[in-house]
Amino acid sequence: MEAEIVLASSPTDAGISCWDLHSGAEHLRHRTCSATPHGLVSVANNFLASSQLRDSKNAAGSIFYWSWNKPQVEVKSFPSEVINPLVANSEGTYIIGGGVSGHLFLWEVATGKLLKKWHAHYRAVTCLVFGDDQSLLISGAEDGCVRIWSLISIFDDMRREKSKHLYEYSFSDHSLKVTDIVTGYGGCNAIIVSASEDRTCKVWSISKGKCIRNIVFPSVIDAVAMDPGEHVFYAGARNGKIYIAALNAQCPPTKNYALHIIGSLSERSKAITCLASSMDGIHLVSGSEDGMIRVWDTTKRNIIRIFRHAKGPINNILILRQPPHLNPSSTSGQSSSAKKHGYPLPPPLGKYTDSSDENTEIKAFIGSRTPNYVQDASYRSSWTMMNQIKELRQQGSSAASELEMERLKFDSSRSMQMIQQWKKKYENLYQYCVGELLEREQVENVQKRQK
Amino acid sequence: MVKKSQSKKPQKRGVDFKKIKKKIGRKVLPPKNSTNTEVKSKEIILPEQSIAADKSGYAVSKKGLTLKELLQHTSHHNVKSRRDALNGIRDIFIKHPAELKLHKLAVIEKLRERISDDDKLVREALYQLLKSEVFTGSNEENQELVVSLMMSYIFSAMTHLTFDIRLMAFKFLDLLLQHYPSSFTVYIEKILQNYGSLLRKNQFSLQDRSKLKSVLAGLVHCLSLLGCNKGDVSMRKNDCSQATLHPFEPDDQEDQICHTGVIRNLLDVLHVLLSCLHDLIQNTPRLDAQSFDCMQFILQSVDAVVKYFTHGFNETKRGLLSLFPPSKIPDVNVDDHMISLLKLKNLWDVFPLNPIHNHSTKDGDRYFILNAITTEVFLQLSDMISFPPALFERFLEFIEVSFSEKISHGRKSSLGIQEKHFISIIKFIPRLIVQIPDNWKARILLAFTTVLRNFSAESSTTLACLSAVQEMLSPEHCWLELIADNPEILEFHLDWIRELPSMLVRLGDKHSSSSEAALRLQLKLGQCASLNSLLSSEYDNMQKPLRDFYCTLDEESVHYGPFISLPGEIQELSVCCLYYFSSLDHPLLQSLVSCCLSNELDPNVIFRILEVLQSAHKAGHIHTAHYLSFLVTLVSHFKTSPDEIFSTTSDDMKSSREIFNSVTLFVCLQMSQMGDKNLISKMLERVIIDQIMLLPHVDTICAFLRVLVTLDSRLTRFSVESIDDLTNVLAHYLIYISSSVPGEDVETAHQKTINYYFLPCLILFIKNRELLKLVLNKMGSFIDEYNSPSSSLRCGSLPLTHASLRLRAVVSTFLHMNKDSKVHGGLLSCQTELETIQQKMLTAKSSEATNMSIEERHKIQNECDRMKAFMVLLFQPYKDFKEANFIYISDIRNLVQVPTELHKRNPTDRSHRSQAEDERKCYLHKSQRGNKKMKENAIYINHKGGISIGRLCANSRGNTEDASVNQPK
């Protein structure tokens, strides 16, 4: 099994802790980090980035970078407003942050350039998530709105002018702040689960663009995590329980639990603030208000390990594959330079979009890995498929008849050829016969004459 | 019946001697070549007579005819018997519904021939039969078959020469479509053609209005089945609570109607209708009921057709733009040619229809309806087609006038139909506002605002108005643009926002759907409030009038608003709105608190309010002081059941206590999470002490003690004065609790309750031993006092007038306290205090001995003994321990088999004293709930060594006499 690490941060200035999920060994603790909720992100496993809490509202926000092998902050950038959630795509080419005023900021990591800033929500953005194919961005905000953005059409000015809004969908069914969002697999056909302070979790279908399930919990849900198989999702509640809600199966309400809720993981703890599911789907990591990080075995529903981060509450938990530069002892000797320097960190993020120099020069940058862009950027959601199926079905008969026609045409042409051939032969034969007859007559005449 | 043939066989003779007799003149022999015409048969079968047949077991009509016979009779040449047959069939179906199911298709196959029957009454009878029995009976499988069986005959009847039959055919069609609406799409083209040709020929004379009316009614129904109404159905299906997540979705086979032929037909019908309308208007000087109905139906049909076109037009426009377009786009290609056809010029020419002569209210209403429908059609079309401004203005004028008229006489005549049309016009207002010039914007909005203000609560106009307002205010549409353009319009918007709270109050608790709409609007506004400073300040200003919605307080009385009696979901919605106020003010919080304190409010909503306020506080929307005072008020005024705290009987009362328990838990959690505890405890110290100094209900005291414990269990930052007050309260509280424990068996039933009430005090004692001493002193002073200490405790207290009861309460308090191992340690350090108490008890016994009954004296003696026992229990082992702790410890080890690790520990260790103490506690603890064997052991040890051990055992059995026996001198 690949080694996985658990990262945790808190709003108090307690740094970022890092443990091995399976062995429980603690790694390097990064210092001076008071992260915002959903504001800790590992950029393509190359380095860590986190947006920072600021006390006064007027101050500009700040985003810090850490490399894996150094505890202190290496790069500081100061965007124009306080950034709450932060997310990066899996190749680490972009970082997107959501501001308190409801703006979204999209930076290019390699250059630090602010590529785009747009007004996404009426109130502060609270969570940001990428769809699994990295083309869709899902954002939730304090105004209870969940919006889905396509990275392609964000830069499509033509279409934006036509349609008045940038988002693909805007779901405003939640009546209070959206606290967490997770996505399933399947690109545009995925489901997303959003949790809100209105005590509900809602399951949305991206392709259909509507709410397909609404689950009411007994307490406010602050964190959700999905089982990798999408059988269930886990909802961490403010009453300290982690509820398990069914996604696939029908689950009637029981005496203890409401509709769709199967059970709960609970230990006497304070409010659950964040959840993360490991890649094997067995381990679930929860962080709570009391500063403890609990690792659960979801099959047995018990705790298998407890980490202690700090006194204050925990607000971010990440589960990652172990990055190559993290553990110096494992990489022995052969790549000492990499061990020392790790990944060279990119420049700080820009504050404003520069529209002026866009045309003047185009700089080339070489990132650590060349990202593989998906060449075909068209969406194939369920309705297109359905239409195609329908088309195929309808075309089925006509295509078949066309085939039949072709075949018949071919047959007829062949028989025409045959006829031609036969005709020719007949002609030949006829001429031959006539010739023969004539010849014979001539011969006879000649013979008669000769007689 | 069989009759035998009468022919006889001639006798056979010998062939050789044939004798031929001939009598001359008698009979002429038939000629040789004649043909024998005689018929001979072995038997003759005559058919059964129908009247005489045995019909038992068959379903028969009143006249005793079976279904088969009746069906045969339907094609009888006699009119009367045909009619009778139809009536008979009806009889059968009424009596034997099963018969219909079995033979439905056969019956329909036969009956359909009567559609074009010559006789009017027969057709009428058939219509009734089909309507009441055949179609209603079943709507299951093979609908298509039924429809196709009927349709061919209906269509042929539609082209019949006789006018009446044609008319009747349309009635049949209407009937069929009512029962099988899905079949409309299949036959749409033909149906429309037939309607068109019927109406075009203009065969209706003026007297035939009723016939025309029935035809038009059918047409309206047909056209209402056009595609655009499907949106509503899918909306209703969107109930996502129960559905499976990834269900298999079968293809919807009902295709959209999308042939150009159909569109052509629709346009044809449209124009026929318009010319028809024109004729009607010209030929009717006065608007009587019949012609009004006809005109209304015509206009409604026009409306339906136009709706179909505009719907398709909008859908296609939308489908082109979105990334994930809807799966089904009705491809109504509205080209320019069609638009020109849709201009409906002659309809606009007649608008507005005005009464020419006398103007009665009834006429006025009728004209209003006609004009309203026309306006609707116009507004629909104005999306697609740009009309000349003069025409537009005519309509705008009508809208303005009708709005203001609505207000003037809307109160007295709230006609249902009129209301409906009014609403449909209101729906267009948001779109209209964007289109029209500025001077009209203000006029229309003014009219609209007056409607909004002067609605009556029960009318559905409110809902329509609210949704229109929502659409106009939602920032996605035009909020920002309009503000920039026109300050006048902004004024209207603000007006609406200001109207909301009073609207909520006026709606009351009866019209939950309207209230819900208003609250949704409020929520929406709140969510986008921070977009715009003006809007956010407007939203914050809403708080003051909103108080009326929740609850208003004046001196002494509380007036609850509609909030408290609304359904739960709507309550939740309104609570959610609170989150978005940028700063919740104190008066609103006050009225919220009094809502929470009301008994009628569902506890779930209380917790919801608490949760939302918590989030609001976290987000900085509530001032901390206000929030704290909210929490404290909630705790101090929460009403639990007034009766005994140890009553186990009433369940609902108990539950109110449970609710209070969890409310307190929530409050404590809140206080602990709020940040700097020092600061908060400093803020709350005096408030809480003052509250409990009033000696409210024990539950409240307990709750406040719990809050104190969470804030500052050591009480380090408390002033001397507060500690003094606290001591007083604690002493009262503890004595009250232990005195109100009913019965003798303290150990069993009520232990849990006692623990619950004691726990916060005990924690305080553990953390702060000084407090314990002070409280003990206080208790000691109670013993002297004559007046009952607990009389001031509010809840129906036991009068502790008797000294014995007071003593008893004090002693049992000690016993309860001693059960906690940590407090036990604290008690040990208060030896002097306890001894003074004991002394006081003894003096009380001696001093009051003169004026007491023997019984009373006995009781006091008992209490003194208990106290003595307690003292010995408490200190004796400690004395032993001081003298010879090694022995003692080893004894205990032998006795209870304390954890093995203790064996290994070296008792001479420098920390051995504290360890030993621990060990003893462990022992005490175990022996209290020890089993029999342990007790025996204890007695065994008793002979050998420590006295205390024997006593303990005795006490654990609750047998004091035993203890005194064992007590060594």
Side-chain angles (χ1 to χ4, degrees):
Chain A
M1 196 193 300
E2 209 165 351
E4 285 173 285
I5 56 165
V6 179
L7 290 175
S9 71
S10 73
T12 57
D13 192 1
I16 305 169
S17 311
C18 177
W19 297 274
D20 190 296
L21 176 62
H22 301 288
S23 70
E26 181 162 8
H27 296 300
L28 189 66
R29 183 176 279 224
H30 300 273
R31 285 201 297 267
T32 52
C33 171
S34 48
T36 54
H38 303 287
L40 178 69
V41 67
S42 130
V43 182
N45 250 4
N46 291 331
F47 61 95
L48 278 174
S50 167
S51 51
Q52 300 295 302
L53 277 175
R54 280 286 172 269
D55 292 336
S56 56
K57 279 194 172 176
N58 301 328
S62 54
I63 295 174
F64 294 170
Y65 288 170
W66 291 262
S67 63
W68 283 113
N69 50 3
K70 283 184 200 157
Q72 63 272 25
V73 180
E74 289 199 30
V75 179
K76 294 183 180 181
S77 27
F78 299 97
S80 57
E81 67 176 275
V82 176
I83 300 295
N84 277 340
L86 204 63
V87 74
N89 65 342
S90 61
E91 289 102 6
T93 40
Y94 303 115
I95 285 184
I96 299 175
V100 283
S101 68
H103 281 91
L104 286 181
F105 299 79
L106 193 150
W107 288 281
E108 193 175 32
V109 173
T111 58
K113 214 158 96 180
L114 180 59
L115 295 181
K116 182 94 183 171
K117 171 189 172 184
W118 73 98
H119 192 256
H121 288 277
Y122 304 121
R123 279 172 183 266
V125 183
T126 53
C127 41
L128 279 173
V129 174
F130 261 113
D132 77 324
D133 65 348
Q134 312 293 316
S135 76
L136 291 179
L137 178 72
I138 299 137
S139 66
E142 209 185 330
D143 58 14
C145 235
V146 175
R147 283 181 173 171
I148 297 177
W149 314 85
S150 149
L151 287 189
I152 299 162
S153 51
I154 280 171
F155 291 97
D156 187 350
D157 290 337
M158 273 255 292
R159 221 175 68 95
R160 186 175 33 155
E161 273 166 29
K162 255 194 231 165
S163 66
K164 283 186 189 168
H165 55 76
L166 265 174
Y167 55 80
E168 302 305 333
Y169 287 120
S170 172
F171 303 131
S172 54
D173 289 15
H174 282 301
S175 52
L176 283 178
K177 184 170 117 183
V178 177
T179 51
D180 203 358
I181 296 176
V182 285
T183 57
Y185 296 102
C188 306
N189 289 316
I191 54 167
I192 55 178
V193 180
S194 64
S196 161
E197 273 182 352
D198 62 7
R199 283 186 175 179
T200 62
C201 282
K202 292 183 200 287
V203 183
W204 313 87
S205 154
I206 299 184
S207 62
K208 287 179 197 149
K210 62 178 188 182
C211 176
I212 48 178
R213 185 166 286 183
N214 181 23
I215 305 163
V216 183
F217 288 93
S219 177
V220 172
I221 302 298
D222 277 327
V224 279
M226 209 188 288
D227 169 51
E230 292 186 24
H231 302 300
V232 294
F233 73 89
Y234 304 97
R238 244 178 227 176
N239 59 10
K241 285 185 178 174
I242 301 171
Y243 292 96
I244 307 172
L247 280 174
N248 283 344
Q250 284 280 49
C251 191
T254 56
K255 198 179 74 188
N256 298 328
Y257 301 110
L259 189 68
H260 297 310
I261 303 177
I262 301 172
S264 64
L265 306 171
S266 69
E267 208 223 6
R268 284 174 172 276
S269 78
K270 286 189 183 171
I272 305 287
T273 51
C274 41
L275 283 176
S277 180
S278 77
M279 282 160 223
D280 56 8
I282 295 171
H283 296 104
L284 180 75
V285 183
S286 73
S288 83
E289 197 86 43
D290 53 11
M292 307 296 255
I293 295 157
R294 296 176 173 82
V295 184
W296 302 81
D297 184 328
T298 53
T299 50
K300 293 173 192 146
R301 297 192 185 179
N302 58 356
I303 294 180
I304 53 174
R305 187 162 285 136
I306 293 181
F307 301 123
R308 185 171 176 78
H309 170 62
K311 252 194 164 178
I314 298 201
N315 63 358
N316 280 301
I317 282 188
L318 293 180
I319 295 185
L320 301 169
R321 276 198 307 257
Q322 181 157 357
H325 314 299
L326 180 67
N327 207 349
S329 64
S330 65
T331 52
S332 54
Q334 80 266 31
S335 60
S336 59
S337 66
K339 192 178 79 185
K340 243 177 217 170
H341 303 296
Y343 171 77
L345 288 187
L349 303 173
K351 207 166 198 174
Y352 306 105
T353 44
D354 303 328
S355 54
S356 58
D357 75 351
E358 234 172 74
N359 301 324
T360 51
E361 50 177 328
I362 296 160
K363 296 171 192 164
F365 295 98
I366 301 165
S368 64
R369 278 172 233 162
T370 45
N372 303 319
Y373 289 107
V374 183
Q375 292 300 318
D376 183 22
S378 65
Y379 288 93
R380 303 235 180 277
S381 58
S382 65
W383 76 271
T384 24
M385 283 200 241
M386 221 121 82
N387 279 2
Q388 277 177 355
I389 289 167
K390 204 182 270 176
E391 247 173 60
L392 271 176
R393 224 183 269 160
Q394 282 170 358
Q395 278 178 0
S397 53
S398 65
S401 60
E402 261 174 32
L403 261 172
E404 188 74 10
M405 274 287 277
E406 288 283 318
R407 199 176 60 80
L408 286 176
K409 266 182 194 164
F410 181 67
D411 275 6
S412 77
S413 65
R414 214 175 54 179
S415 29
M416 287 296 271
Q417 274 178 2
M418 288 287 274
I419 287 169
Q420 291 295 325
Q421 277 180 3
W422 282 115
K423 257 186 185 169
K424 229 177 189 174
K425 279 180 182 169
Y426 172 74
E427 213 86 65
N428 286 343
L429 196 67
Y430 177 75
Q431 269 173 6
Y432 175 72
C433 286
V434 169
E436 282 279 284
L437 277 175
L438 283 177
E439 253 175 34
R440 202 179 292 164
E441 236 168 33
Q442 275 174 356
V443 170
E444 275 173 8
N445 286 346
V446 171
Q447 281 175 351
K448 269 181 193 172
R449 265 183 225 154
Q450 284 172 351
K451 276 174 191 176
Chain B
M1 274 182 265
V2 180
K3 289 178 183 175
K4 293 217 167 148
S5 66
Q6 286 165 345
S7 61
K8 281 180 181 172
K9 284 181 184 170
Q11 281 182 335
K12 295 251 162 87
R13 300 265 167 86
V15 185
D16 295 345
F17 305 98
K18 205 174 184 180
K19 187 180 166 187
I20 300 164
K21 286 181 182 173
K22 280 184 183 168
K23 283 186 178 170
I24 296 156
R26 265 240 165 138
K27 204 178 185 180
V28 187
L29 276 173
K32 279 268 166 83
N33 60 352
S34 71
T35 317
N36 189 8
T37 57
E38 205 173 326
V39 178
K40 288 175 186 170
S41 148
K42 256 189 173 172
E43 49 187 10
I44 293 174
I45 302 167
L46 286 181
E48 222 174 338
Q49 283 271 309
S50 67
I51 300 168
D54 181 24
K55 285 174 188 164
S56 60
Y58 286 99
V60 288
S61 70
K62 268 180 201 160
K63 288 181 179 168
L65 296 166
T66 61
L67 185 62
K68 198 178 168 194
E69 286 161 345
L70 286 168
L71 284 177
Q72 280 168 353
H73 285 204
T74 53
S75 44
H76 201 271
H77 59 86
N78 186 355
V79 174
K80 194 157 178 288
S81 58
R82 286 202 302 258
R83 209 165 60 216
D84 286 347
L86 289 173
N87 287 334
I89 290 173
R90 200 166 154 198
D91 278 346
I92 288 181
F93 288 158
I94 290 171
K95 271 190 227 154
H96 311 278
E99 205 72 357
L100 175 62
K101 262 186 194 155
L102 286 172
H103 307 293
K104 187 165 185 184
L105 287 179
V107 168
I108 285 174
E109 217 165 323
K110 192 73 188 161
L111 286 182
R112 62 182 181 164
E113 293 163 13
R114 294 301 102 215
I115 288 174
S116 46
D117 197 285
D118 292 333
D119 188 67
K120 194 181 171 187
L121 290 173
V122 174
R123 292 195 304 261
E124 204 57 51
L126 176 65
Y127 184 81
Q128 290 306 328
L129 172 63
L130 289 176
K131 187 180 173 186
S132 60
E133 299 305 322
V134 179
F135 286 157
T136 50
S138 55
N139 49 350
E140 63 278 6
E141 71 276 32
N142 55 34
Q143 284 194 0
E144 290 84 9
L145 196 55
V146 173
V147 173
S148 68
L149 280 176
M150 290 294 290
M151 273 304 181
S152 51
Y153 273 75
I154 288 176
F155 284 138
S156 76
M158 278 177 177
T159 52
H160 202 273
L161 278 175
T162 321
F163 184 60
D164 277 347
I165 293 178
R166 263 183 282 163
L167 277 184
M168 200 63 197
F170 283 99
K171 269 181 91 174
F172 280 117
L173 176 71
D174 191 31
L175 184 69
L176 196 67
L177 287 182
Q178 270 168 21
H179 288 97
Y180 306 102
S182 57
S183 56
F184 176 61
T185 46
V186 185
Y187 299 97
I188 177 166
E189 224 165 316
K190 211 149 186 209
I191 291 172
L192 288 177
Q193 274 170 12
N194 278 314
Y195 267 114
S197 61
L198 181 77
L199 292 170
R200 187 178 296 120
K201 279 175 193 159
N202 205 3
Q203 297 112 332
F204 299 100
S205 62
L206 291 179
Q207 285 73 34
D208 282 348
R209 287 288 148 81
S210 62
K211 288 175 186 167
L212 178 62
K213 186 180 137 191
S214 72
V215 172
L216 286 171
L219 182 59
V220 168
H221 180 240
C222 273
L223 292 173
S224 68
L225 294 174
L226 278 168
C228 54
N229 297 335
K230 277 172 191 161
D232 311 342
V233 183
S234 64
M235 286 295 276
R236 244 174 279 135
K237 268 190 221 159
N238 201 5
D239 177 30
C240 52
S241 58
Q242 278 284 354
T244 44
L245 209 56
H246 304 290
F248 170 72
E249 281 165 354
D251 302 353
D252 284 345
Q253 284 303 323
E254 18 174 340
D255 313 31
Q256 296 282 339
I257 319 147
C258 52
H259 314 293
T260 43
V262 173
I263 291 174
R264 188 82 33 225
N265 281 331
L266 278 173
L267 286 173
D268 277 355
V269 170
L270 196 62
H271 282 270
V272 170
L273 281 172
L274 286 181
S275 62
C276 205
L277 179 72
H278 208 68
D279 289 349
L280 268 173
I281 291 169
Q282 282 184 342
N283 295 331
T284 42
R286 275 196 69 248
L287 194 65
D288 53 347
Q290 296 280 4
S291 43
F292 162 70
D293 282 344
C294 290
M295 282 155 83
Q296 193 193 347
F297 284 139
I298 288 175
L299 285 172
Q300 275 174 358
S301 314
V302 171
D303 186 40
V305 174
V306 167
K307 238 180 218 159
Y308 173 68
F309 283 128
T310 47
H311 180 74
F313 180 69
N314 291 338
E315 282 295 301
T316 11
K317 212 163 68 176
R318 201 177 309 149
L320 288 175
L321 284 178
S322 77
L323 183 60
F324 307 116
S327 54
K328 273 188 258 163
I329 305 167
D331 32 350
V332 181
N333 295 315
V334 185
D335 51 14
D336 294 341
H337 173 63
M338 221 161 68
I339 286 179
S340 69
L341 284 175
L342 274 173
K343 277 197 173 163
L344 309 182
K345 192 169 171 305
N346 36 1
L347 180 59
W348 317 138
D349 286 345
V350 296
F351 180 85
L353 291 163
N354 276 325
I356 304 159
H357 303 300
N358 54 341
H359 185 284
S360 66
T361 49
K362 205 174 168 190
D363 272 356
D365 285 347
R366 279 177 184 164
Y367 278 111
F368 169 76
I369 290 171
L370 294 182
N371 286 332
I373 302 174
T374 319
T375 314
E376 216 180 309
V377 173
F378 177 79
L379 294 176
Q380 293 266 13
L381 276 176
S382 65
D383 276 352
M384 273 163 56
I385 306 163
S386 53
F387 288 108
L391 183 61
F392 226 119
E393 243 164 69
R394 268 210 325 252
F395 281 98
L396 292 176
E397 215 162 312
F398 169 73
I399 293 171
E400 192 189 9
V401 169
S402 68
F403 275 18
S404 52
E405 258 178 27
K406 167 81 186 162
I407 304 309
S408 60
H409 71 99
R411 306 261 176 199
K412 53 192 179 193
S413 68
S414 59
L415 269 162
I417 313 158
Q418 206 178 339
E419 188 94 20
K420 203 181 91 194
H421 296 296
F422 197 69
I423 288 166
S424 55
I425 293 180
I426 286 178
K427 277 179 193 160
F428 284 101
I429 294 282
R431 267 188 278 164
L432 194 63
I433 293 298
V434 188
Q435 293 175 355
I436 57 180
D438 279 354
N439 58 333
W440 272 105
K441 269 178 196 167
R443 281 171 71 177
I444 294 287
L445 284 179
L446 185 68
F448 176 74
T449 312
T450 43
V451 172
L452 188 71
R453 283 226 179 94
N454 297 301
F455 70 97
S456 51
E458 60 273 3
S459 74
S460 46
T461 319
T462 326
L463 262 179
C465 282
L466 282 171
S467 67
V469 168
Q470 182 153 12
E471 200 172 329
M472 280 188 275
L473 287 187
S474 80
E476 281 120 3
H477 290 258
C478 44
W479 168 254
L480 282 173
E481 296 156 36
L482 284 179
I483 285 178
D485 283 1
N486 201 335
E488 220 175 324
I489 290 170
L490 176 67
E491 207 52 46
F492 285 117
H493 286 187
L494 297 182
D495 264 2
W496 301 333
I497 295 173
R498 283 173 201 142
E499 192 65 23
L500 259 183
S502 61
M503 190 184 253
L504 276 172
V505 176
R506 262 187 296 164
L507 279 170
D509 50 3
K510 297 288 181 298
H511 313 284
S512 46
S513 57
S514 299
S515 297
E516 194 184 346
L519 284 168
R520 283 212 180 281
L521 176 58
Q522 197 193 346
L523 186 68
K524 193 89 197 160
L525 285 173
Q527 284 174 344
C528 51
S530 65
L531 194 64
N532 184 301
S533 61
L534 187 68
L535 179 58
S536 82
S537 73
E538 240 358 275
Y539 190 72
D540 281 347
N541 288 343
M542 227 186 257
Q543 290 183 63
K544 192 164 174 284
L546 205 58
R547 250 177 273 160
D548 296 337
F549 175 65
Y550 291 103
C551 171
T552 43
L553 307 151
D554 48 5
E555 312 85 46
E556 287 147 33
S557 65
V558 182
H559 304 286
Y560 290 115
F563 170 76
I564 228 155
S565 38
L566 279 168
E569 291 166 27
I570 299 175
Q571 282 176 336
E572 261 189 40
L573 202 60
S574 72
V575 171
C576 288
C577 295
L578 297 173
Y579 176 80
Y580 293 104
F581 289 116
S582 68
S583 72
L584 264 169
D585 62 1
H586 191 57
L588 185 60
L589 282 176
Q590 257 177 345
S591 65
L592 270 177
V593 134
S594 29
C595 282
C596 287
L597 294 173
S598 150
N599 287 328
E600 288 158 48
L601 200 66
D602 184 19
N604 277 330
V605 181
I606 299 179
F607 288 114
R608 202 77 196 94
I609 291 176
L610 284 171
E611 271 175 8
V612 170
L613 290 182
Q614 177 197 4
S615 318
H617 176 254
K618 249 188 190 168
H621 297 169
I622 310 181
H623 197 274
T624 306
H626 292 168
Y627 186 47
L628 283 177
S629 84
F630 172 85
L631 293 178
V632 169
T633 321
L634 183 64
V635 171
S636 66
H637 286 69
F638 202 94
K639 290 184 210 83
T640 49
S641 55
D643 53 318
E644 287 296 303
I645 48 175
F646 291 104
S647 66
T648 46
T649 47
S650 55
D651 283 339
D652 51 332
M653 290 303 173
K654 213 174 142 197
S655 72
S656 89
R657 193 156 278 137
E658 267 166 23
I659 291 163
F660 185 52
N661 184 10
S662 33
V663 166
T664 319
L665 204 67
F666 187 90
V667 170
C668 292
L669 209 67
Q670 276 308 294
M671 303 239 173
S672 66
Q673 283 174 5
M674 264 165 111
D676 190 1
K677 280 190 192 172
N678 283 347
L679 208 65
I680 294 166
S681 66
K682 209 169 268 174
M683 283 168 83
L684 288 183
E685 175 192 332
R686 224 30 251 181
V687 181
I688 292 181
I689 298 291
D690 284 346
Q691 283 292 333
I692 48 180
M693 277 294 281
L694 300 172
L695 292 178
H697 193 274
V698 273
D699 280 321
T700 317
I701 298 183
C702 180
F704 274 123
L705 290 176
R706 282 164 71 183
V707 172
L708 278 184
V709 166
T710 37
L711 283 179
D712 182 12
S713 55
R714 287 181 193 282
L715 301 176
T716 43
R717 290 175 290 267
F718 274 51
S719 67
V720 183
E721 198 187 340
S722 326
I723 292 206
D724 237 25
D725 292 339
L726 185 64
T727 314
N728 197 4
V729 174
L730 278 179
H732 276 105
Y733 172 75
L734 287 174
I735 285 183
Y736 174 76
I737 300 288
S738 40
S739 69
S740 51
V741 177
E744 288 292 312
D745 53 342
V746 183
E747 298 290 321
T748 54
H750 302 297
Q751 193 56 51
K752 217 174 143 192
T753 328
I754 297 170
N755 283 347
Y756 168 72
Y757 286 108
F758 265 58
L759 189 64
C761 309
L762 298 185
I763 293 172
L764 286 176
F765 292 153
I766 292 163
K767 295 285 164 74
N768 190 334
R769 293 207 172 161
E770 278 310 303
L771 185 69
L772 178 60
K773 276 182 189 163
L774 291 172
V775 171
L776 287 181
N777 282 336
K778 194 79 198 168
M779 282 191 192
S781 68
F782 286 155
I783 295 174
D784 306 334
E785 286 166 20
Y786 266 88
N787 46 352
S788 147
S790 303
S791 61
S792 46
L793 276 171
R794 204 177 275 168
C795 137
S797 62
L798 309 167
L800 297 183
T801 45
H802 293 295
S804 65
L805 289 175
R806 283 204 306 270
L807 294 184
R808 187 186 151 72
V810 171
V811 176
S812 30
T813 308
F814 291 151
L815 287 174
H816 287 312
M817 277 160 67
N818 195 29
K819 273 174 198 154
D820 189 281
S821 53
K822 283 183 187 159
V823 181
H824 178 84
L827 284 174
L828 284 178
S829 65
C830 304
Q831 195 173 2
T832 46
E833 283 79 8
L834 285 171
E835 272 164 2
T836 30
I837 290 175
Q838 196 179 12
Q839 203 51 49
K840 274 179 184 167
M841 285 174 79
L842 291 174
T843 49
K845 189 177 83 176
S846 55
S847 66
E848 288 174 30
T850 48
N851 50 2
M852 264 192 292
S853 61
I854 299 171
E855 197 186 356
E856 181 72 13
R857 209 178 304 162
H858 177 68
K859 276 182 184 164
I860 291 183
Q861 178 61 48
N862 255 352
E863 293 311 317
C864 286
D865 287 348
R866 270 178 72 196
M867 184 66 194
K868 209 190 227 168
F870 166 70
M871 293 291 282
V872 174
L873 153 70
L874 192 64
F875 296 112
Q876 205 64 47
Y878 194 59
K879 277 175 191 163
D880 285 352
F881 181 69
K882 269 192 232 164
E883 286 157 11
N885 40 15
F886 293 109
I887 302 165
Y888 182 76
I889 290 163
S890 68
D891 272 356
I892 284 184
R893 247 185 247 148
N894 290 337
L895 177 66
V896 228
Q897 291 156 359
V898 284
T900 45
E901 53 180 297
L902 285 176
H903 281 290
K904 292 166 197 161
R905 203 176 291 158
N906 184 6
T908 52
D909 194 292
R910 66 189 146 90
S911 61
H912 74 270
R913 273 192 70 152
S914 61
Q915 274 172 10
E917 211 170 323
D918 281 343
E919 217 167 324
R920 191 163 49 78
K921 273 178 222 156
C922 168
Y923 166 67
L924 286 172
H925 187 66
K926 284 204 168 171
S927 71
Q928 270 167 9
R929 38 189 175 108
N931 52 21
K932 247 214 163 101
K933 199 177 170 191
M934 272 176 62
K935 278 171 195 165
E936 280 168 14
N937 272 341
I939 291 163
Y940 169 70
I941 292 298
N942 190 17
H943 295 301
K944 242 177 142 186
I947 313 152
S948 58
I949 299 162
R951 185 171 330 287
L952 266 176
C953 181
N955 262 339
S956 72
R957 263 184 268 141
N959 193 344
T960 45
E961 283 168 38
D962 219 15
S964 58
V965 168
N966 287 344
Q967 196 175 345
K969 299 292 172 208

